[in-house]
Amino acid sequence: MRRFLDRLYFGSGVLAAAALAAIAVLVLAQTVGRLAGVLVPSANELAGYCVAASAFLGLAPTLNHGAHIRVRLLTQALPESLQRWFEGWCLLLALGLSAYAAWFAVDLVLGSWRYGDVSPGLLAVPLWIPQLGVAAGLLVFTVSLADNFLRLVRGRDPLYRMAEETEAVR
Amino acid sequence: MNPVEIGLLLVVVLFVLLGTGVWVALSLLAVGLFAMSVFTSAPVGLALGTSFWGSIATWSLAPLPLFVWMGEILFRSRLSEDMYGGLAPWLRRLPGRLLHVNVLGCGVFAAVSGSSAATAATIGRMSIPELRRRGYDEKMIIGTLAGSGTLGLLIPPSIILIVYGISAEVSIARLFIAGILPGLMLVALFMCYVMAWSLVHPQRTPPPDPPLPLLDRLRASTRLIPVLALIVAVIGSIYVGVATPTEAAALGVVGALILAAGTGGLSGRSFLDGLMGAMRTSTMIVFILACAAFLTTAMGYTGVPRLLAQWIAEQNLSPYALLAALTLFFIVLGCFLDGISVVVLTTSVILPMVKAAGIDPIWFGIFLVIVVEMSQITPPVGFNLFVLQGLTQRNIFRIAVAALPFFFLLLAAVVLVTVFPGLATWLPQRVSGG
């Protein structure tokens, strides 16, 4: 199970990074194409979809690297045992919010699929394809929050704990 | 409940969430959900899905991840050494000598980087050990670096100006150009302060290194050519209007890769590290933007910002009084929150009020960013302070004290930009390309 989860987060992160690189490639292709007089169809829309895919697929790996910012000033001053209660509250609330958002992201995908919505540009991309990146990212994020919450309940540290500690020292 | 009470309640909820350690993005999302489901009858989930998708899947956001990536590549390159080696030989005669390397180095690096922490870290990595070894005053080394690092936010490209531009729906190209003159003014202010300080305390500046012959100095400066070329390519192309900020950012990524490869700082490993690091930073920021976009929608349904704007308009405050109050409010907020959160909260709630007072949104963006720069060096939460803590191993409050003069210089810059708004608005008006 552990190996599967770690691979899931890693895979999600690799896809997010690939989407980021794809933004650069698309924009460059369009710029070079404009100079050479070749039209790269729908590059603007596609780059926008890559921004969304990159940001949402990156959610879980970013969480586990402790890179989502938060205010730890007050909770840090508490004794260790109390800190764990606050951590549990943060994770549980985050889990609820993420699950809620994931639900409606899936709803958005299903809606676009059912009504056959397509992108406005030259290439009529069915909208459910890029929206799938958002939904999948939020689902993996929800899984990683549940994973971290269960770790905490079982008395272990959340995955991002180490990264946050070294961040504070670095 | 009247809107003022609703507004206050939401502020309390937000601060409880943030204070208990809930991630910033999710706190914004939670407040938005709370506001919308308790005080309106609009379909919450539907609004959530569409505002996430509508605000994020857009071409205008593309420069953000790209500029973050460019910064990550340059941070891993040998630019830090080249900047020090290229700048230092010219600054030995100025009062304050090599302390100016920190100010100018940050100023130049800010023109290829969009972040304040990265600017301070890149320049400081090389200059702190060099200046310490020569016996420069530690307080001034730290202060100049902390202060000038914040230039990364104002001098284009700037991540935070992109965040402001997206959420306030203002042209990013114009914002970038508006940041140039105030940024140069800050460099000048910082350098003047360093000179004045060293004239007052001549015994605390170590003796100069023997002067280099002009030819050697010129040879040393050739190390600056790649970074200057990159600045011209990125900012120049936006300024002349041949490239949109997105295109300039893609160009910047390629330029940074070439620069890193050319100076021997690029391996497969550092390329992948840079890309993954950029993905995480940009995810963090874009997710905050997504949640802030939903908060803006939710606040719009509750009508609180509109009523707040009305209320302010009825007070007949002068714009100066309003700005003074806002400055104070942002400084306090900035002590506890990072710059991006301050900006998105501002655009969600306060911007309608600012527009109602007849303040130009481009000018307000520059004003806001300078105030946010101050928040980078105020304890307990100041990102530049954290960076310098890492680089120097000194206590964070000692670093904050060293940075204090620069806090006041930034405050002076806020006053100057308010009294002479042309500093921010004149240059963008010269540019045709929007």
Side-chain angles (χ1 to χ4, degrees):
Chain A
M1 191 62 184
R2 183 73 261 147
R3 249 183 61 196
F4 167 75
L5 286 174
D6 287 339
R7 279 188 185 165
L8 181 69
Y9 306 147
F10 182 72
S12 187
V14 168
L15 285 177
L20 203 168
I23 302 170
V25 172
L26 277 165
V27 174
L28 283 171
Q30 193 192 31
T31 313
V32 173
R34 197 178 62 189
L35 297 176
V38 182
L39 185 72
V40 179
S42 296
N44 285 2
E45 279 89 24
L46 294 179
Y49 299 154
C50 286
V51 174
S54 173
F56 284 92
L57 287 168
L59 285 175
T62 304
L63 173 76
N64 293 335
H65 265 85
H68 283 298
I69 45 173
R70 61 201 289 201
V71 181
R72 293 178 63 227
L73 195 75
L74 301 175
T75 48
Q76 249 172 349
L78 297 173
E80 176 72 31
S81 56
L82 215 56
Q83 270 192 42
R84 294 188 76 87
W85 280 98
F86 273 101
E87 203 60 56
W89 140 255
C90 289
L91 279 167
L92 210 55
L93 179 72
L95 181 60
L97 290 167
S98 171
Y100 183 80
W103 174 268
F104 282 98
V106 171
D107 189 56
L108 194 70
V109 174
L110 291 177
S112 300
W113 189 63
R114 201 174 307 131
Y115 297 113
D117 290 345
V118 292
S119 68
L122 263 178
L123 283 183
V125 183
L127 273 184
W128 65 267
I129 300 175
Q131 287 172 345
L132 200 59
V134 176
L138 281 166
L139 283 172
V140 179
F141 188 46
T142 308
V143 169
S144 75
L145 286 163
D147 177 17
N148 278 304
F149 181 69
L150 287 179
R151 284 178 71 93
L152 193 79
V153 171
R154 288 180 190 150
R156 273 184 296 186
D157 279 337
L159 293 163
Y160 50 80
R161 178 69 189 267
M162 271 267 282
E164 276 184 341
E165 295 300 313
T166 48
E167 187 81 16
V169 174
R170 188 162 60 95
Chain B
M1 274 181 115
N2 70 40
V4 178
E5 285 165 1
I6 296 178
L8 282 175
L9 176 67
L10 294 181
V11 169
V12 171
V13 172
L14 177 67
F15 278 25
V16 167
L17 292 174
L18 289 173
T20 51
V22 177
W23 292 273
V24 169
L26 291 166
S27 302
L28 300 177
L29 179 60
V31 172
L33 287 176
F34 176 72
M36 210 164 159
S37 50
V38 175
F39 299 112
T40 75
S41 51
V44 182
L46 210 65
L48 177 64
T50 41
S51 61
F52 267 17
W53 176 249
S55 66
I56 299 311
T58 152
W59 150 261
S60 50
L61 208 60
L64 196 150
L66 295 182
F67 276 127
V68 171
W69 189 15
M70 176 178 167
E72 289 278 344
I73 297 165
L74 291 177
F75 178 72
R76 287 175 170 76
S77 75
R78 285 188 38 217
L79 194 61
S80 170
E81 286 94 319
D82 287 342
M83 296 271 281
Y84 180 85
L87 284 171
W90 296 94
L91 299 167
R92 291 173 185 182
R93 300 296 188 86
L94 273 182
R97 305 199 211 319
L98 295 186
L99 286 173
H100 292 287
V101 171
N102 277 347
V103 181
L104 274 178
C106 285
V108 175
F109 191 75
V112 287
S113 154
S115 123
S116 142
T119 303
T122 311
I123 299 302
R125 205 168 41 174
M126 189 69 199
S127 76
I128 289 176
E130 288 286 335
L131 293 185
R132 264 187 181 164
R133 194 164 56 80
R134 289 181 166 77
Y136 280 86
D137 188 70
E138 167 124 34
K139 213 174 140 184
M140 279 304 273
I141 301 178
I142 294 175
T144 47
L145 208 51
S148 327
T150 66
L151 290 168
L153 300 184
L154 187 58
I155 296 181
S158 156
I159 302 297
I160 204 143
L161 279 176
I162 299 177
V163 169
Y164 176 81
I166 296 282
S167 43
E169 296 176 354
V170 177
S171 151
I172 292 167
R174 277 175 194 274
L175 279 170
F176 275 11
I177 290 162
I180 295 176
L181 282 182
L184 292 176
M185 177 185 80
L186 269 174
V187 172
L189 275 177
F190 291 165
M191 288 182 75
C192 287
Y193 173 74
V194 169
M195 286 192 259
W197 177 87
S198 69
L199 291 175
V200 176
H201 308 282
Q203 72 291 350
R204 282 161 76 178
T205 313
D209 295 323
L212 276 177
L214 184 66
L215 210 62
D216 291 347
R217 266 188 275 172
L218 286 174
R219 193 171 303 136
S221 308
T222 55
R223 296 170 72 178
L224 293 176
I225 290 173
V227 66
L228 291 178
L230 199 55
I231 293 175
V232 170
V234 173
I235 302 182
S237 62
I238 298 177
Y239 185 79
V240 183
V242 295
T244 63
T246 310
E247 291 165 334
L251 205 67
V253 167
V254 175
L257 284 172
I258 293 172
L259 188 150
T263 53
L266 189 68
S267 61
R269 169 112 213 132
S270 72
F271 174 81
L272 288 179
D273 280 353
L275 183 57
M276 292 302 271
M279 177 274 289
R280 287 192 290 269
T281 306
S282 111
T283 293
M284 180 270 284
I285 299 171
V286 176
F287 191 48
I288 292 180
L289 266 173
C291 294
F294 173 69
L295 179 64
T296 307
T297 309
M299 292 304 280
Y301 276 108
T302 65
V304 170
R306 193 163 28 91
L307 288 159
L308 210 63
Q310 241 170 43
W311 180 72
I312 288 287
E314 281 160 14
Q315 303 302 304
N316 281 320
L317 278 175
S318 78
Y320 289 122
L322 176 63
L323 288 172
L326 284 178
T327 308
L328 195 67
F329 174 68
F330 289 143
I331 290 175
V332 174
L333 204 60
C335 287
F336 304 99
L337 274 180
D338 67 287
I340 289 163
S341 313
V342 172
V343 169
V344 296
L345 278 176
T346 305
T347 47
S348 299
V349 184
I350 298 177
L351 202 64
M353 164 169 117
V354 170
K355 281 184 180 159
I359 295 168
D360 174 19
I362 297 238
W363 179 88
F364 186 72
I366 301 302
F367 160 84
L368 184 59
V369 167
I370 302 178
V371 181
V372 164
E373 283 191 57
M374 297 162 74
S375 78
Q376 300 287 315
I377 54 175
T378 45
V381 180
F383 276 66
N384 277 20
L385 301 179
F386 295 151
V387 170
L388 282 162
Q389 186 180 31
L391 286 170
T392 62
Q393 316 299 331
R394 293 279 182 252
N395 177 294
I396 189 145
F397 287 98
R398 254 185 88 178
I399 296 171
V401 169
L404 195 62
F406 293 85
F407 176 86
F408 287 113
L409 290 171
L410 285 164
L411 194 59
V414 170
V415 173
L416 283 171
V417 168
T418 310
V419 177
F420 306 107
L423 281 167
T425 54
W426 181 77
L427 210 50
Q429 282 160 6
R430 309 288 109 191
V431 179
S432 47

